[in-house]
Each structure stands twice: as C-alpha cells, then as structure tokens.
Amino acid sequence: MTRPVTIALDAMGGDHGPSVVIPGAALMLERRPDCRFVIFGDEKQVLPLIDQHPKLKAVTTFHHTEVSVKMDDKPSQALRYGRYKSSMWRAIDATKTGEADVTVSAGNTGALMAMSKFCLKSMPQVDRPALAGLWPTARGESIVLDLGATIGADARHLVDLAVMGAAMARVVLDLDRPTVGLLNVGVEEIKGVEAVKEAGRILRESDLPHLAYHGFVEGDDLGKGTVDVVVTEGFTGNIALKTAEGTAKQIAEYLRAAMGRSVMSKIGYLFARGAFAALKDKLDPRKSNGGVFLGLEGIVVKSHGGTDAIGFASAAELGYEMAREDLMAKVREMVAASTRPELPAAQPAETE
C-alpha cells in the first residue's frame, strides 16, 4: 500500500474511552505521520480532546455517535441496540465500506467480535474467527491464538486456528514454515481433553504444507518461545494472557521494592540501571498490546480495555502495519490454499 493508511477508531471503547483513545492516536501519529484517522464517538467528549492535538485534528475525520457499547454488555445486547449506530459498529463499517483500512477498538471483546463478524463476515472456510496476538518470548516473538474471541473449541476449530496462526506467522514473522504447538496440560499424546488430542492427530497426519506441527506445548513454553505459533481455545488463551500481564507487573513491583530497600541496593541500581531499564521495557505489556481478529473479511484490532495511551498507540500501530503490508490479503490467500476437504470431521470436545 503506497497511500496513507486510514485507521477507524471507536473512541468510546475501553475502560477509559476518549481520554485514552485520543492521546493514543496522537502518539501513534508521531510514530507514523503518514496515517489518517476516522474517529467515531460522542462529540461532547471527543472533540475537546481532539482540539488539544492540532496535528491529529488536521488528519482526522470525526463522526458523532450517540450510542456506545458498554464493557459489560452481552454481545446480543450490543447487537440489539448498537447495530448501525454505535461508535463500535460505525468504526467497523468504515473498514467494510473502504472509508478506513483498519478498525481499532478497546471495547467489549465479545461485542466487537459479534459486530465484526456480523458486519464484515467471515472468510470462506472459516466458521469462527479468532483473536491472535504477538507474545514476547525469550527467542523474540510468537503468535498466540485464540486470546478470547471464542470460548470452547472442537478439534476442527483448533486445526483452523493452527492454519490461520501459521498464515499470520509466515507474514508477520517472515517464516516459510512456522512451527505450531497445541497448548495442553502435558506434552504426552495421551494427555488432555479429547478435542486437543484429536486436533493433534489431524495436524500430525495431515502434514500441511505451510506449517510444521511440533506437538503439544505447556504453559511455560509460551515464555520460552518453543514454537512460533501456540494454539488454544479462547477461554484458556485469555486466562494465559491476563496471567502473563499480571506476572510482568508483579515482577516490576518486586524489582522496584528491592532496589529501594537499602543504601547498597540503591548504589547497585545506579550501576545496573541500564539493564533494569531494558528489562522494564521487555516486560511492559503495553508494547505488545493489540490482537487481530483473524478470519474476517477486513482488519479489526482489539486493544486491551484497561490500557493507557501508550498501549493504545501500540494497538493502532499493529493495525497500521497489518494494513500497510496488506497482511490480511496474504492470510486469506494462505488459508484458502490450506483448505482441508480430505480431513475427517472432528468429534465434539469432551474430557477424559
């Protein structure tokens, strides 16, 4: 894409709404001065904030909306009263109509997925889109999905997640044949629920051309970067994500307390502050904020609802890169090329 990237923003989404979204957009503009914004929200709350950022105002088209989706709304509720008129829906629709190249929202995950699927529709061969995110690891970065878009999964859906995640990894991580692992309670083939074991069997026997199936991986493999793509269903994936973010904050608090405990600790910090700054930066969850809904006919990025302006800017930048490199078109192509009509139908998930 050679023209500027236009990003549609749901200004009312998230725990903090416009007070985070607008400063985040301004920060994103500093990083990517060739981007443009289409912002949807309540003019009484949003316009005064836009006025505080003249550069952002100069590249923004604003649309007033009187309806916003609440963070605790059920997806069915959000669709009932927010379809066609909420800030979330209008932002998604801007991507559908071509007014924007990507939509970014920090709003209710379930509502965002429901509206995105209803408005944009799913890609062929994909029944249930997934939320995929970049996960910092000891080796660099991995892709993890699903991070909470869909709760529960049968074997067929887990295989679809593996294909979509591998497609994203081939483009984002520049890998010819990314390694894929299924998150499980152990690496032995006899462990886990039936759906995970069946998905592992299908992936192992199919030997799909665009991915290398590694086998089962455990929770500690997420941080190690054992595989390029980690596949799990949304309930487990979201818990893993929130646990990792909480652990990073906990470690940062421990280090801060330890460095101020004594005079010698403070002196030691002075000598090692460069290393501590690098560690803090590595553990900062705001730097990897933002997940992409894979499997839709359009790019939608979900920001963490409780993030600040720096985190929201990271999510917007992820959307920018996805649109700039036309990644979703490549993902659609690879998913279509990996159609598996010969695979047996998966059995419903059940526990041992």
Side-chain angles (χ1 to χ4, degrees):
M1 182 182 293
T2 56
R3 59 180 175 81
V5 173
T6 301
I7 304 173
L9 300 180
D10 167 21
M12 310 308 293
D15 297 341
H16 310 292
S19 64
V20 161
V21 173
I22 303 308
L27 180 58
M28 164 62 187
L29 184 62
E30 293 179 9
R31 299 175 182 176
R32 303 292 185 177
D34 63 328
C35 68
R36 304 291 182 266
F37 294 95
V38 183
I39 300 179
F40 299 86
D42 181 354
E43 60 187 6
K44 293 181 181 179
Q45 298 182 55
V46 178
L47 289 180
L49 293 171
I50 294 179
D51 288 339
Q52 296 175 17
H53 303 278
K55 293 182 180 180
L56 175 64
K57 185 176 181 179
V59 297
T60 293
T61 300
F62 177 76
H63 297 282
H64 171 67
T65 59
E66 296 183 355
V67 177
S68 60
V69 175
K70 301 178 181 63
M71 293 299 284
D72 58 354
D73 282 341
K74 293 181 179 179
S76 57
Q77 291 176 318
L79 276 173
R80 252 195 321 270
Y81 75 81
R83 191 186 310 174
Y84 308 123
K85 54 187 177 181
S86 66
S87 57
M88 180 181 286
W89 177 279
R90 295 281 305 278
I92 298 168
D93 191 59
T95 293
K96 178 182 178 180
T97 61
E99 184 179 5
D101 301 299
V102 55
T103 297
V104 181
S105 174
N108 181 319
T109 303
L112 184 63
M113 170 54 82
M115 287 191 176
S116 297
K117 189 172 181 180
F118 193 96
C119 184
L120 297 173
K121 310 302 181 185
S122 298
M123 293 188 297
Q125 294 91 41
V126 177
D127 295 326
R128 304 163 70 188
L131 181 60
L134 290 173
W135 195 290
T137 74
R139 293 196 308 131
E141 288 181 318
S142 295
I143 290 172
V144 181
L145 73 167
D146 183 4
L147 293 176
T150 304
I151 304 302
D154 60 13
R156 171 69 64 170
H157 181 53
L158 291 172
V159 173
D160 287 342
L161 293 179
V163 173
M164 289 192 292
M168 181 174 171
R170 291 189 69 199
V171 178
V172 177
L173 304 180
D174 194 25
L175 299 170
D176 289 331
R177 199 165 187 242
T179 55
V180 176
L182 292 172
L183 189 62
N184 201 0
V185 295
V187 297
E188 298 86 355
E189 293 183 9
I190 62 171
K191 289 189 174 181
V193 296
E194 195 60 35
V196 174
K197 292 191 289 185
E198 176 68 5
R201 184 192 65 78
I202 293 173
L203 289 169
R204 185 171 57 255
E205 295 178 359
S206 300
D207 192 25
L208 298 174
H210 297 310
L211 65 86
Y213 178 58
H214 171 87
F216 296 152
V217 294
E218 297 181 272
D220 60 341
D221 290 306
L222 286 166
K224 293 177 183 178
T226 302
V227 292
D228 303 309
V229 179
V230 176
V231 173
T232 185
E233 57 84 33
F235 184 85
T236 305
N238 191 263
I239 290 176
L241 174 65
K242 300 294 176 57
T243 301
E245 291 174 346
T247 301
K249 292 178 182 178
Q250 182 181 6
I251 292 174
E253 288 297 326
Y254 283 164
L255 286 173
R256 188 177 296 110
M259 290 302 99
R261 189 168 296 159
S262 66
V263 174
M264 291 303 296
S265 296
K266 293 177 181 178
I267 294 174
Y269 170 75
L270 292 176
F271 285 103
R273 58 185 175 184
F276 282 116
L279 177 62
K280 180 180 178 181
D281 184 70
K282 182 70 173 178
L283 293 176
D284 191 347
R286 300 175 301 176
K287 298 296 180 66
S288 55
N289 180 47
V292 181
F293 284 145
L294 288 180
L296 295 171
E297 292 288 358
I299 307 173
V300 177
V301 174
K302 169 66 174 74
S303 167
H304 195 299
T307 194
D308 60 10
I310 294 175
F312 191 84
S314 296
E317 190 167 18
L318 175 62
Y320 171 95
E321 293 294 343
M322 294 287 285
R324 169 63 65 193
E325 302 300 326
D326 203 13
L327 299 185
M328 291 308 294
K330 297 172 184 175
V331 169
R332 286 194 292 267
E333 178 185 352
M334 291 180 219
V335 169
S338 298
T339 302
R340 303 167 307 285
E342 76 285 354
L343 296 185
Q347 297 298 314
E350 58 183 64
T351 58
E352 288 189 317

